[in-house]
Amino acid sequence: DAGITQSPRHKVTETGTPVTLRCHQTENHRYMYWYRQDPGHGLRLIHYSYGVKDTDKGEVSDGYSVSRSKTEDFLLTLESATSSQTSVYFCASGGGMGGSADTQYFGPGTRLTVL
Amino acid sequence: DAKTTQPPSMDCAEGRAANLPCNHSTISGNEYVYWYRQIHSQGPQYIIHGLKNNETNEMASLIITEDRKSSTLILPHATLRDTAVYYCIVKPTNAGKSTFGDGTTLTVKP
């Protein structure tokens, strides 16, 4: 499996506080993704990146921002956390080089609780 | 991206083949079929993908119909560790967005 890590793995925070989750990959993958997973909703794409400083919105991007200043790091920021953002967050990365198909490799997840 | 339809749940006896269907009737010519699985509380794991030919790797086989409107993931000898949620998605090459549906919960029983 690709070397992809997430930090922190668990976090409890209070409503209104800023939160940043970090995703780090060592495979030089072009694409990186942030998903959230809630009971009854499966995996939903928040934001993704197709290169350094190149990002785009997914289906549930409101309340989230991302940054990618290096190939290996993709940060997800909740500017002012709300209880509705309590979820498990998964990061993924994938190749997307040239004409190849884009397989995603997922991290272990971050469990975020907003009180 | 094309939408996919999967049965919500399936059971399989340990040691038997598990055949997981996926319907993707609106698939476009440039869209691949991908399969992932997610074992409880872990990150999803890539299994296999294909465009129009059948594919096999060490984990599974993927059978895509000739009209590409449906596919079947085959786990040839299911074990208890194969109990997981299996996701079928379709996406174009090099497209960033992937839409994961609700998947199929496969339960392998002894």
CSV table of all heavy atoms in Angstrom, one decimal, chain B residues 36-97:
chain,number,residue,atom,x,y,z
B,36,TYR,N,-13.4,-1.0,-4.6
B,36,TYR,CA,-12.7,-0.9,-3.3
B,36,TYR,C,-13.5,-1.6,-2.3
B,36,TYR,O,-14.7,-1.9,-2.4
B,36,TYR,CB,-12.7,0.6,-2.9
B,36,TYR,CG,-11.8,1.5,-3.8
B,36,TYR,CD1,-12.3,2.0,-5.0
B,36,TYR,CD2,-10.5,1.8,-3.4
B,36,TYR,CE1,-11.5,2.8,-5.8
B,36,TYR,CE2,-9.7,2.7,-4.2
B,36,TYR,CZ,-10.2,3.1,-5.4
B,36,TYR,OH,-9.4,3.9,-6.2
B,37,ARG,N,-12.8,-1.9,-1.2
B,37,ARG,CA,-13.6,-2.4,0.0
B,37,ARG,C,-13.1,-1.7,1.2
B,37,ARG,O,-12.0,-1.2,1.3
B,37,ARG,CB,-13.4,-3.9,0.1
B,37,ARG,CG,-12.0,-4.4,0.6
B,37,ARG,CD,-12.0,-5.9,0.7
B,37,ARG,NE,-10.7,-6.4,1.2
B,37,ARG,CZ,-10.4,-7.6,1.3
B,37,ARG,NH1,-11.3,-8.6,1.0
B,37,ARG,NH2,-9.2,-8.0,1.8
B,38,GLN,N,-14.0,-1.7,2.2
B,38,GLN,CA,-13.7,-1.1,3.5
B,38,GLN,C,-14.0,-2.0,4.6
B,38,GLN,O,-15.2,-2.3,4.8
B,38,GLN,CB,-14.4,0.3,3.7
B,38,GLN,CG,-14.1,1.0,4.9
B,38,GLN,CD,-14.7,2.4,4.9
B,38,GLN,OE1,-15.8,2.6,4.3
B,38,GLN,NE2,-14.1,3.3,5.7
B,39,ILE,N,-13.0,-2.5,5.3
B,39,ILE,CA,-13.2,-3.3,6.5
B,39,ILE,C,-13.4,-2.4,7.6
B,39,ILE,O,-12.8,-1.3,7.7
B,39,ILE,CB,-11.9,-4.2,6.7
B,39,ILE,CG1,-11.8,-5.1,5.5
B,39,ILE,CG2,-12.0,-5.0,8.0
B,39,ILE,CD1,-10.5,-5.9,5.4
B,40,HIS,N,-14.3,-2.8,8.5
B,40,HIS,CA,-14.8,-1.9,9.6
B,40,HIS,C,-13.8,-1.0,10.1
B,40,HIS,O,-12.8,-1.3,10.6
B,40,HIS,CB,-15.3,-2.8,10.7
B,40,HIS,CG,-15.9,-2.1,11.8
B,40,HIS,ND1,-17.0,-1.2,11.7
B,40,HIS,CD2,-15.5,-1.9,13.1
B,40,HIS,CE1,-17.3,-0.7,12.8
B,40,HIS,NE2,-16.4,-1.1,13.7
B,41,SER,N,-14.1,0.3,10.0
B,41,SER,CA,-13.4,1.5,10.6
B,41,SER,C,-12.1,1.7,10.0
B,41,SER,O,-11.3,2.6,10.4
B,41,SER,CB,-13.3,1.4,12.1
B,41,SER,OG,-12.3,0.5,12.5
B,42,GLN,N,-11.6,0.9,9.0
B,42,GLN,CA,-10.4,1.2,8.3
B,42,GLN,C,-10.6,2.0,7.1
B,42,GLN,O,-11.7,2.2,6.6
B,42,GLN,CB,-9.7,-0.1,7.9
B,42,GLN,CG,-9.4,-1.1,9.1
B,42,GLN,CD,-8.7,-2.3,8.6
B,42,GLN,OE1,-8.2,-2.4,7.5
B,42,GLN,NE2,-8.7,-3.3,9.4
B,43,GLY,N,-9.5,2.5,6.5
B,43,GLY,CA,-9.6,3.3,5.2
B,43,GLY,C,-9.9,2.3,4.1
B,43,GLY,O,-9.5,1.1,4.2
B,44,PRO,N,-10.6,2.7,3.1
B,44,PRO,CA,-10.9,1.9,2.0
B,44,PRO,C,-9.7,1.4,1.3
B,44,PRO,O,-8.6,2.0,1.3
B,44,PRO,CB,-11.7,2.8,1.0
B,44,PRO,CG,-12.4,3.8,1.9
B,44,PRO,CD,-11.3,4.0,3.0
B,45,GLN,N,-9.8,0.2,0.7
B,45,GLN,CA,-8.7,-0.5,0.1
B,45,GLN,C,-9.0,-0.8,-1.4
B,45,GLN,O,-10.1,-1.3,-1.7
B,45,GLN,CB,-8.4,-1.8,0.8
B,45,GLN,CG,-7.3,-2.7,0.2
B,45,GLN,CD,-7.2,-4.0,0.8
B,45,GLN,OE1,-8.2,-4.5,1.4
B,45,GLN,NE2,-6.1,-4.7,0.8
B,46,TYR,N,-8.1,-0.4,-2.3
B,46,TYR,CA,-8.3,-0.7,-3.7
B,46,TYR,C,-8.2,-2.2,-3.9
B,46,TYR,O,-7.4,-2.9,-3.3
B,46,TYR,CB,-7.2,0.0,-4.5
B,46,TYR,CG,-7.0,-0.5,-5.9
B,46,TYR,CD1,-7.9,-0.1,-6.9
B,46,TYR,CD2,-6.0,-1.4,-6.2
B,46,TYR,CE1,-7.7,-0.5,-8.2
B,46,TYR,CE2,-5.8,-1.8,-7.5
B,46,TYR,CZ,-6.7,-1.4,-8.5
B,46,TYR,OH,-6.5,-1.9,-9.8
B,47,ILE,N,-9.1,-2.7,-4.8
B,47,ILE,CA,-9.1,-4.1,-5.1
B,47,ILE,C,-8.7,-4.3,-6.6
B,47,ILE,O,-7.7,-5.0,-6.9
B,47,ILE,CB,-10.5,-4.7,-4.9
B,47,ILE,CG1,-11.0,-4.6,-3.5
B,47,ILE,CG2,-10.5,-6.2,-5.3
B,47,ILE,CD1,-12.4,-5.0,-3.3
B,48,ILE,N,-9.4,-3.7,-7.5
B,48,ILE,CA,-9.2,-4.0,-8.9
B,48,ILE,C,-9.9,-2.9,-9.8
B,48,ILE,O,-10.8,-2.2,-9.3
B,48,ILE,CB,-9.7,-5.4,-9.2
B,48,ILE,CG1,-9.1,-6.0,-10.5
B,48,ILE,CG2,-11.2,-5.4,-9.3
B,48,ILE,CD1,-9.4,-7.5,-10.7
B,49,HIS,N,-9.5,-2.8,-11.0
B,49,HIS,CA,-10.2,-1.9,-11.9
B,49,HIS,C,-10.1,-2.4,-13.3
B,49,HIS,O,-9.2,-3.3,-13.6
B,49,HIS,CB,-9.7,-0.5,-11.8
B,49,HIS,CG,-8.4,-0.2,-12.5
B,49,HIS,ND1,-7.2,-0.5,-11.8
B,49,HIS,CD2,-8.1,0.2,-13.7
B,49,HIS,CE1,-6.2,-0.2,-12.6
B,49,HIS,NE2,-6.7,0.3,-13.8
B,50,GLY,N,-11.0,-2.0,-14.2
B,50,GLY,CA,-11.0,-2.4,-15.6
B,50,GLY,C,-11.7,-1.4,-16.5
B,50,GLY,O,-12.5,-0.6,-16.0
B,51,LEU,N,-11.5,-1.5,-17.8
B,51,LEU,CA,-12.2,-0.6,-18.7
B,51,LEU,C,-13.2,-1.5,-19.5
B,51,LEU,O,-14.4,-1.1,-19.5
B,51,LEU,CB,-11.2,0.0,-19.7
B,51,LEU,CG,-11.7,0.9,-20.7
B,51,LEU,CD1,-12.4,2.2,-20.0
B,51,LEU,CD2,-10.6,1.4,-21.7
B,52,LYS,N,-12.8,-2.5,-20.2
B,52,LYS,CA,-13.8,-3.3,-20.9
B,52,LYS,C,-13.4,-4.8,-20.9
B,52,LYS,O,-14.3,-5.7,-21.1
B,52,LYS,CB,-14.0,-2.8,-22.3
B,52,LYS,CG,-12.7,-2.7,-23.1
B,52,LYS,CD,-13.0,-2.2,-24.5
B,52,LYS,CE,-11.8,-2.0,-25.3
B,52,LYS,NZ,-12.1,-1.4,-26.7
B,53,ASN,N,-12.1,-5.1,-20.7
B,53,ASN,CA,-11.7,-6.5,-20.6
B,53,ASN,C,-11.8,-7.0,-19.2
B,53,ASN,O,-11.8,-6.2,-18.2
B,53,ASN,CB,-10.3,-6.7,-21.1
B,53,ASN,CG,-10.1,-6.3,-22.5
B,53,ASN,OD1,-11.0,-6.6,-23.3
B,53,ASN,ND2,-9.1,-5.6,-22.8
B,54,ASN,N,-12.0,-8.3,-19.0
B,54,ASN,CA,-12.0,-8.9,-17.7
B,54,ASN,C,-10.6,-8.8,-17.1
B,54,ASN,O,-9.6,-8.9,-17.8
B,54,ASN,CB,-12.5,-10.4,-17.8
B,54,ASN,CG,-13.9,-10.5,-18.3
B,54,ASN,OD1,-14.7,-9.5,-18.2
B,54,ASN,ND2,-14.2,-11.6,-18.8
B,55,GLU,N,-10.5,-8.6,-15.8
B,55,GLU,CA,-9.3,-8.5,-15.1
B,55,GLU,C,-9.2,-9.4,-13.9
B,55,GLU,O,-10.2,-9.7,-13.3
B,55,GLU,CB,-9.1,-7.0,-14.7
B,55,GLU,CG,-9.2,-6.0,-15.7
B,55,GLU,CD,-7.9,-5.9,-16.6
B,55,GLU,OE1,-6.9,-6.5,-16.3
B,55,GLU,OE2,-8.0,-5.3,-17.7
B,56,THR,N,-8.0,-9.8,-13.6
B,56,THR,CA,-7.7,-10.7,-12.5
B,56,THR,C,-6.5,-10.3,-11.8
B,56,THR,O,-5.5,-9.9,-12.5
B,56,THR,CB,-7.7,-12.2,-12.9
B,56,THR,OG1,-8.9,-12.6,-13.4
B,56,THR,CG2,-7.3,-13.0,-11.7
B,57,ASN,N,-6.5,-10.2,-10.5
B,57,ASN,CA,-5.2,-10.0,-9.7
B,57,ASN,C,-5.3,-11.0,-8.5
B,57,ASN,O,-6.1,-11.9,-8.5
B,57,ASN,CB,-5.1,-8.6,-9.3
B,57,ASN,CG,-6.1,-8.0,-8.4
B,57,ASN,OD1,-6.8,-8.8,-7.7
B,57,ASN,ND2,-6.3,-6.7,-8.3
B,58,GLU,N,-4.4,-10.8,-7.6
B,58,GLU,CA,-4.2,-11.7,-6.5
B,58,GLU,C,-5.4,-11.7,-5.5
B,58,GLU,O,-5.6,-12.6,-4.7
B,58,GLU,CB,-2.9,-11.5,-5.8
B,58,GLU,CG,-2.8,-10.1,-5.1
B,58,GLU,CD,-2.5,-9.0,-6.0
B,58,GLU,OE1,-2.3,-9.2,-7.2
B,58,GLU,OE2,-2.3,-7.9,-5.5
B,59,MET,N,-6.2,-10.6,-5.6
B,59,MET,CA,-7.3,-10.4,-4.7
B,59,MET,C,-8.6,-10.9,-5.3
B,59,MET,O,-9.5,-11.5,-4.6
B,59,MET,CB,-7.5,-9.0,-4.3
B,59,MET,CG,-6.4,-8.5,-3.4
B,59,MET,SD,-6.7,-6.8,-2.9
B,59,MET,CE,-8.1,-7.0,-1.9
B,60,ALA,N,-8.8,-10.6,-6.6
B,60,ALA,CA,-10.2,-10.8,-7.1
B,60,ALA,C,-10.1,-10.8,-8.6
B,60,ALA,O,-9.1,-10.6,-9.3
B,60,ALA,CB,-11.1,-9.7,-6.7
B,61,SER,N,-11.3,-11.1,-9.2
B,61,SER,CA,-11.5,-11.0,-10.6
B,61,SER,C,-12.6,-10.0,-10.9
B,61,SER,O,-13.6,-9.9,-10.1
B,61,SER,CB,-11.9,-12.4,-11.3
B,61,SER,OG,-10.8,-13.3,-11.2
B,62,LEU,N,-12.5,-9.3,-12.0
B,62,LEU,CA,-13.6,-8.4,-12.4
B,62,LEU,C,-14.1,-8.8,-13.8
B,62,LEU,O,-13.3,-8.9,-14.7
B,62,LEU,CB,-13.0,-7.0,-12.5
B,62,LEU,CG,-13.9,-5.9,-13.0
B,62,LEU,CD1,-15.1,-5.7,-12.2
B,62,LEU,CD2,-13.1,-4.5,-13.1
B,63,ILE,N,-15.4,-9.0,-13.8
B,63,ILE,CA,-16.0,-9.4,-15.1
B,63,ILE,C,-16.9,-8.2,-15.5
B,63,ILE,O,-17.8,-7.8,-14.8
B,63,ILE,CB,-16.9,-10.7,-14.9
B,63,ILE,CG1,-16.1,-11.8,-14.3
B,63,ILE,CG2,-17.5,-11.1,-16.3
B,63,ILE,CD1,-14.9,-12.2,-15.1
B,64,ILE,N,-16.6,-7.7,-16.7
B,64,ILE,CA,-17.4,-6.6,-17.2
B,64,ILE,C,-18.2,-7.1,-18.4
B,64,ILE,O,-17.6,-7.7,-19.3
B,64,ILE,CB,-16.5,-5.4,-17.6
B,64,ILE,CG1,-15.7,-4.9,-16.4
B,64,ILE,CG2,-17.3,-4.2,-18.2
B,64,ILE,CD1,-14.6,-3.9,-16.7
B,65,THR,N,-19.5,-6.8,-18.5
B,65,THR,CA,-20.3,-7.2,-19.6
B,65,THR,C,-19.9,-6.6,-20.9
B,65,THR,O,-19.3,-5.5,-20.8
B,65,THR,CB,-21.8,-7.0,-19.3
B,65,THR,OG1,-22.0,-5.6,-19.1
B,65,THR,CG2,-22.3,-7.8,-18.1
B,66,GLU,N,-20.2,-7.2,-22.0
B,66,GLU,CA,-19.8,-6.6,-23.3
B,66,GLU,C,-20.3,-5.2,-23.5
B,66,GLU,O,-19.6,-4.4,-24.1
B,66,GLU,CB,-20.2,-7.6,-24.4
B,66,GLU,CG,-19.6,-7.2,-25.8
B,66,GLU,CD,-19.9,-8.3,-26.8
B,66,GLU,OE1,-20.4,-9.4,-26.4
B,66,GLU,OE2,-19.7,-8.0,-28.0
B,67,ASP,N,-21.5,-4.9,-23.1
B,67,ASP,CA,-22.1,-3.6,-23.3
B,67,ASP,C,-21.6,-2.6,-22.2
B,67,ASP,O,-21.9,-1.4,-22.2
B,67,ASP,CB,-23.6,-3.6,-23.3
B,67,ASP,CG,-24.2,-4.1,-22.0
B,67,ASP,OD1,-23.5,-4.3,-21.0
B,67,ASP,OD2,-25.4,-4.3,-22.0
B,68,ARG,N,-20.8,-3.1,-21.2
B,68,ARG,CA,-20.2,-2.4,-20.1
B,68,ARG,C,-21.2,-1.8,-19.1
B,68,ARG,O,-20.9,-0.9,-18.4
B,68,ARG,CB,-19.3,-1.3,-20.6
B,68,ARG,CG,-18.2,-1.8,-21.5
B,68,ARG,CD,-16.9,-1.0,-21.5
B,68,ARG,NE,-17.1,0.5,-21.4
B,68,ARG,CZ,-16.6,1.2,-20.5
B,68,ARG,NH1,-15.9,0.7,-19.5
B,68,ARG,NH2,-16.8,2.5,-20.5
B,69,LYS,N,-22.5,-2.2,-19.2
B,69,LYS,CA,-23.5,-1.6,-18.3
B,69,LYS,C,-23.5,-2.3,-17.0
B,69,LYS,O,-24.2,-1.8,-16.1
B,69,LYS,CB,-24.8,-1.7,-19.0
B,69,LYS,CG,-24.9,-0.8,-20.3
B,69,LYS,CD,-26.3,-0.9,-20.8
B,69,LYS,CE,-26.4,0.1,-22.0
B,69,LYS,NZ,-27.8,0.1,-22.6
B,70,SER,N,-22.8,-3.3,-16.8
B,70,SER,CA,-22.7,-4.0,-15.5
B,70,SER,C,-21.4,-4.7,-15.3
B,70,SER,O,-20.7,-5.0,-16.3
B,70,SER,CB,-23.9,-4.9,-15.2
B,70,SER,OG,-23.9,-6.0,-16.1
B,71,SER,N,-21.1,-5.0,-14.1
B,71,SER,CA,-19.9,-5.8,-13.8
B,71,SER,C,-20.1,-6.6,-12.5
B,71,SER,O,-21.1,-6.4,-11.8
B,71,SER,CB,-18.7,-4.8,-13.6
B,71,SER,OG,-18.9,-4.0,-12.5
B,72,THR,N,-19.2,-7.6,-12.4
B,72,THR,CA,-19.3,-8.5,-11.2
B,72,THR,C,-17.9,-8.6,-10.6
B,72,THR,O,-16.9,-8.9,-11.4
B,72,THR,CB,-19.8,-9.9,-11.5
B,72,THR,OG1,-21.1,-9.7,-12.1
B,72,THR,CG2,-19.9,-10.7,-10.3
B,73,LEU,N,-17.8,-8.4,-9.3
B,73,LEU,CA,-16.5,-8.6,-8.6
B,73,LEU,C,-16.6,-10.0,-8.1
B,73,LEU,O,-17.6,-10.4,-7.4
B,73,LEU,CB,-16.3,-7.6,-7.5
B,73,LEU,CG,-15.0,-7.8,-6.7
B,73,LEU,CD1,-13.8,-7.4,-7.5
B,73,LEU,CD2,-15.1,-7.1,-5.4
B,74,ILE,N,-15.6,-10.8,-8.3
B,74,ILE,CA,-15.6,-12.2,-7.8
B,74,ILE,C,-14.4,-12.4,-6.8
B,74,ILE,O,-13.2,-12.2,-7.2
B,74,ILE,CB,-15.5,-13.2,-9.0
B,74,ILE,CG1,-16.6,-13.0,-9.9
B,74,ILE,CG2,-15.4,-14.7,-8.4
B,74,ILE,CD1,-16.5,-13.9,-11.2
B,75,LEU,N,-14.7,-12.8,-5.6
B,75,LEU,CA,-13.7,-13.3,-4.7
B,75,LEU,C,-13.8,-14.8,-4.7
B,75,LEU,O,-14.8,-15.4,-4.2
B,75,LEU,CB,-14.1,-12.7,-3.3
B,75,LEU,CG,-14.3,-11.2,-3.1
B,75,LEU,CD1,-14.6,-10.9,-1.7
B,75,LEU,CD2,-13.1,-10.5,-3.6
B,76,PRO,N,-12.8,-15.4,-5.2
B,76,PRO,CA,-13.0,-16.9,-5.6
B,76,PRO,C,-13.1,-17.8,-4.4
B,76,PRO,O,-13.9,-18.8,-4.5
B,76,PRO,CB,-11.7,-17.2,-6.3
B,76,PRO,CG,-10.7,-16.1,-6.0
B,76,PRO,CD,-11.5,-14.9,-5.7
B,77,HIS,N,-12.5,-17.5,-3.3
B,77,HIS,CA,-12.6,-18.3,-2.1
B,77,HIS,C,-12.7,-17.4,-0.9
B,77,HIS,O,-11.7,-17.1,-0.2
B,77,HIS,CB,-11.4,-19.3,-1.9
B,77,HIS,CG,-11.1,-20.1,-3.1
B,77,HIS,ND1,-11.9,-21.2,-3.5
B,77,HIS,CD2,-10.2,-20.0,-4.1
B,77,HIS,CE1,-11.4,-21.7,-4.6
B,77,HIS,NE2,-10.4,-21.0,-5.0
B,78,ALA,N,-13.9,-17.0,-0.6
B,78,ALA,CA,-14.1,-16.0,0.5
B,78,ALA,C,-13.7,-16.5,1.8
B,78,ALA,O,-13.9,-17.7,2.2
B,78,ALA,CB,-15.6,-15.6,0.5
B,79,THR,N,-13.1,-15.6,2.6
B,79,THR,CA,-12.7,-15.9,4.0
B,79,THR,C,-13.4,-15.0,4.9
B,79,THR,O,-14.0,-13.9,4.4
B,79,THR,CB,-11.2,-15.8,4.2
B,79,THR,OG1,-10.8,-14.5,4.2
B,79,THR,CG2,-10.4,-16.6,3.2
B,80,LEU,N,-13.4,-15.2,6.2
B,80,LEU,CA,-14.1,-14.4,7.2
B,80,LEU,C,-13.5,-12.9,7.1
B,80,LEU,O,-14.2,-12.0,7.3
B,80,LEU,CB,-13.9,-14.9,8.6
B,80,LEU,CG,-14.5,-16.3,8.8
B,80,LEU,CD1,-14.3,-16.7,10.3
B,80,LEU,CD2,-16.0,-16.3,8.5
B,81,ARG,N,-12.2,-12.8,6.7
B,81,ARG,CA,-11.5,-11.5,6.6
B,81,ARG,C,-12.0,-10.7,5.4
B,81,ARG,O,-11.7,-9.5,5.3
B,81,ARG,CB,-10.0,-11.7,6.6
B,81,ARG,CG,-9.4,-12.2,7.9
B,81,ARG,CD,-7.9,-12.4,7.7
B,81,ARG,NE,-7.7,-13.5,6.9
B,81,ARG,CZ,-6.4,-13.9,6.5
B,81,ARG,NH1,-5.4,-13.3,7.0
B,81,ARG,NH2,-6.2,-14.9,5.7
B,82,ASP,N,-12.8,-11.4,4.5
B,82,ASP,CA,-13.3,-10.6,3.4
B,82,ASP,C,-14.6,-9.9,3.8
B,82,ASP,O,-15.2,-9.2,2.9
B,82,ASP,CB,-13.6,-11.6,2.2
B,82,ASP,CG,-12.3,-12.1,1.6
B,82,ASP,OD1,-11.3,-11.3,1.5
B,82,ASP,OD2,-12.2,-13.3,1.3
B,83,THR,N,-15.1,-10.1,5.0
B,83,THR,CA,-16.3,-9.4,5.4
B,83,THR,C,-16.0,-7.9,5.4
B,83,THR,O,-15.1,-7.4,6.1
B,83,THR,CB,-16.7,-9.8,6.8
B,83,THR,OG1,-17.2,-11.2,6.7
B,83,THR,CG2,-17.8,-8.9,7.4
B,84,ALA,N,-16.8,-7.1,4.6
B,84,ALA,CA,-16.4,-5.7,4.4
B,84,ALA,C,-17.6,-5.0,3.6
B,84,ALA,O,-18.5,-5.7,3.1
B,84,ALA,CB,-15.1,-5.5,3.7
B,85,VAL,N,-17.5,-3.7,3.5
B,85,VAL,CA,-18.3,-3.0,2.5
B,85,VAL,C,-17.6,-2.9,1.2
B,85,VAL,O,-16.4,-2.4,1.2
B,85,VAL,CB,-18.7,-1.6,3.0
B,85,VAL,CG1,-19.6,-0.9,2.0
B,85,VAL,CG2,-19.5,-1.8,4.4
B,86,TYR,N,-18.2,-3.3,0.1
B,86,TYR,CA,-17.5,-3.3,-1.2
B,86,TYR,C,-18.2,-2.2,-2.0
B,86,TYR,O,-19.4,-2.1,-2.2
B,86,TYR,CB,-17.7,-4.6,-1.9
B,86,TYR,CG,-16.8,-5.7,-1.3
B,86,TYR,CD1,-17.1,-6.3,0.0
B,86,TYR,CD2,-15.6,-6.0,-1.8
B,86,TYR,CE1,-16.3,-7.2,0.6
B,86,TYR,CE2,-14.8,-7.0,-1.2
B,86,TYR,CZ,-15.1,-7.5,0.0
B,86,TYR,OH,-14.3,-8.5,0.5
B,87,TYR,N,-17.3,-1.3,-2.6
B,87,TYR,CA,-17.8,-0.2,-3.3
B,87,TYR,C,-17.4,-0.3,-4.8
B,87,TYR,O,-16.2,-0.6,-5.1
B,87,TYR,CB,-17.1,1.2,-2.8
B,87,TYR,CG,-17.5,1.6,-1.5
B,87,TYR,CD1,-16.6,1.3,-0.4
B,87,TYR,CD2,-18.7,2.2,-1.2
B,87,TYR,CE1,-17.0,1.7,0.9
B,87,TYR,CE2,-19.0,2.6,0.1
B,87,TYR,CZ,-18.1,2.3,1.1
B,87,TYR,OH,-18.5,2.7,2.4
B,88,CYS,N,-18.3,-0.1,-5.7
B,88,CYS,CA,-18.1,-0.1,-7.1
B,88,CYS,C,-18.3,1.4,-7.6
B,88,CYS,O,-19.3,2.0,-7.3
B,88,CYS,CB,-19.2,-0.9,-7.8
B,88,CYS,SG,-19.3,-0.8,-9.6
B,89,ILE,N,-17.3,1.9,-8.2
B,89,ILE,CA,-17.4,3.3,-8.7
B,89,ILE,C,-16.9,3.3,-10.2
B,89,ILE,O,-16.1,2.4,-10.6
B,89,ILE,CB,-16.6,4.3,-7.9
B,89,ILE,CG1,-15.1,4.0,-8.0
B,89,ILE,CG2,-17.0,4.3,-6.4
B,89,ILE,CD1,-14.2,5.1,-7.3
B,90,VAL,N,-17.3,4.3,-10.9
B,90,VAL,CA,-16.9,4.5,-12.3
B,90,VAL,C,-16.3,5.9,-12.4
B,90,VAL,O,-16.9,6.9,-11.8
B,90,VAL,CB,-18.0,4.3,-13.3
B,90,VAL,CG1,-18.4,2.8,-13.3
B,90,VAL,CG2,-19.2,5.1,-13.0
B,91,LYS,N,-15.2,6.1,-13.1
B,91,LYS,CA,-14.6,7.4,-13.2
B,91,LYS,C,-13.7,7.4,-14.4
B,91,LYS,O,-13.1,6.4,-14.8
B,91,LYS,CB,-13.9,7.8,-12.0
B,91,LYS,CG,-12.6,7.0,-11.7
B,91,LYS,CD,-12.0,7.4,-10.3
B,91,LYS,CE,-11.5,8.7,-10.3
B,91,LYS,NZ,-10.3,8.9,-11.1
B,92,PRO,N,-13.6,8.6,-15.1
B,92,PRO,CA,-12.7,8.7,-16.2
B,92,PRO,C,-11.3,8.7,-15.8
B,92,PRO,O,-10.9,9.0,-14.6
B,92,PRO,CB,-13.1,10.1,-16.8
B,92,PRO,CG,-14.4,10.5,-16.2
B,92,PRO,CD,-14.4,9.8,-14.9
B,93,THR,N,-10.4,8.3,-16.7
B,93,THR,CA,-9.0,8.4,-16.4
B,93,THR,C,-8.6,9.8,-16.0
B,93,THR,O,-9.0,10.8,-16.6
B,93,THR,CB,-8.2,8.0,-17.7
B,93,THR,OG1,-8.6,6.8,-18.1
B,93,THR,CG2,-6.7,8.0,-17.4
B,94,ASN,N,-7.8,9.9,-15.0
B,94,ASN,CA,-7.2,11.2,-14.6
B,94,ASN,C,-8.2,12.2,-14.1
B,94,ASN,O,-7.9,13.4,-14.0
B,94,ASN,CB,-6.4,11.8,-15.7
B,94,ASN,CG,-5.1,11.1,-16.0
B,94,ASN,OD1,-4.7,10.4,-15.1
B,94,ASN,ND2,-4.6,11.2,-17.2
B,95,ALA,N,-9.5,11.8,-13.9
B,95,ALA,CA,-10.4,12.7,-13.3
B,95,ALA,C,-10.3,12.7,-11.8
B,95,ALA,O,-10.2,11.7,-11.2
B,95,ALA,CB,-11.8,12.3,-13.7
B,96,GLY,N,-10.3,13.9,-11.2
B,96,GLY,CA,-10.1,13.9,-9.8
B,96,GLY,C,-11.3,13.4,-8.9
B,96,GLY,O,-11.0,12.8,-7.9
B,97,LYS,N,-12.5,13.6,-9.4
B,97,LYS,CA,-13.6,13.3,-8.5
B,97,LYS,C,-14.0,11.9,-8.6
B,97,LYS,O,-14.1,11.3,-9.7
B,97,LYS,CB,-14.8,14.2,-8.9
B,97,LYS,CG,-14.5,15.7,-8.6
B,97,LYS,CD,-15.8,16.5,-8.9
B,97,LYS,CE,-15.5,18.0,-8.6
B,97,LYS,NZ,-16.7,18.8,-8.8
